[in-house]
């Protein structure tokens, strides 16, 4: 199967005046189409730095990053922005929805920014809204929704332009455990039934078990890269079997 992500000996060094901080110290890994990967590790281990590079928000200091076989490690800021709009979807801990914009408009936004279409593909948008159970909230504003509903809007927005890769940094960090489970079920469903490739940062084992593969970082290196703990029946697989 095709590699969605290929990292070869990626280093990231932040220079702060005289001091250099090595945030990533030689990361090599591949992610194939349809994978669901959790990235874990202590605070300061390099998770956010890795996500920023994978998300084309930043470039490695050394090493190579291929996104769908295109080398993006030496891309300019503009080239990164362009590939980001075209190929990536993001979900954040704080939802990051536009507060004065309706649910429907929030979801349509990346399609307009992505300039894929002069007018949003309303069929696709409505299908996504149905999939995420947001039909009755289309005209609501984010502050009229619960945290879980807001995160579902953010996920809908992230997949609106049919991304190659969905990146989620602590997507359940601001949610209670019941709502977290709901959001993880949504992500599992998108992975199983729509084949969306997902990379998720979390520090909670209960969340990581929804992934099929867990990568643990330590001091900017891969400490372990293994099938999910409950890999005989990962939570995602159990869900897939009940939903498909
Ligand atoms: N913009 C930055 N400038 C300088 N140092 C940074 C910057 N971002 C992260 N770091 C340092 O890089 C290391 C890894 O950070 P980070 O990727 O944020 O880890 P994590 O997300 O796992 O907590 C830490 O030592 C952190 O202090
Ligand atoms: Mg972080």
């Amino acid at each position: 199967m095709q590699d969605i992500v290929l990292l070869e000996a990626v280093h990231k060094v932040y220079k702060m005046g005289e001091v250099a901080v090595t945030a990533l110290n030689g990361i090599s890994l591949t992610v194939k189409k349809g994978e669901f990967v959790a990235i874990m590790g202590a605070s300061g281990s390099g998770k956010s730095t890795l996500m920023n590079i994978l998300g084309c928000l930043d470039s490695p200091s050394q090493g190579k990053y291929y996104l769908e076989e295109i080398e993006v490690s030496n891309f300019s800021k503009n080239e990164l922005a362009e590939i980001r709009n075209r190929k990536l979807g993001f979900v954040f801990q704080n939802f990051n929805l536009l507060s004065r914009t309706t649910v429907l408009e929030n979801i349509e936004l990346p399609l307009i920014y992505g300039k894929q279409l002069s007018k949003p593909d309303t069929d696709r948008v409505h299908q996504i809204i149905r999939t995420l159970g947001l039909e009755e909230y289309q005209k609501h504003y984010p502050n009229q929704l619960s945290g879980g509903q807001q995160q579902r809007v953010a996920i809908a927005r992230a997949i609106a332009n049919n991304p190659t890769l969905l990146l989620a940094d602590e997507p359940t960090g601001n949610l209670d455990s019941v709502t977290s489970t709901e959001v993880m079920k949504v992500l599992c469903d998108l992975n199983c039934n729509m084949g969306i490739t997902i990379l998720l940062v979390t520090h909670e084992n209960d969340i990581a078990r929804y992934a099929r593969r867990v990568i643990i970082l330590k001091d900017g290196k891969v400490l372990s890269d293994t099938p999910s703990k409950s890999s005989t029946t990962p939570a995602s697989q159990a869900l897939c079997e009940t939903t498909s």
Side-chain angles (χ1 to χ4, degrees), residues 30 32 54 68 81 83 133 140 156 171 189 202 216 219-220:
T30 58
K32 299 215 181 289
L54 290 170
E68 277 195 306
I83 202 158
H140 286 54
D189 185 47
T202 182
I216 301 178
D219 300 331

Side-chain angles (χ1 to χ4, degrees), residues 14-16 21-24 41-50 217:
Y14 293 109
K15 296 210 175 69
M16 303 202 301
V21 179
T22 301
L24 298 179
S43 179
S45 58
K47 304 182 298 293
S48 294
T49 303
L50 180 60
L217 300 185

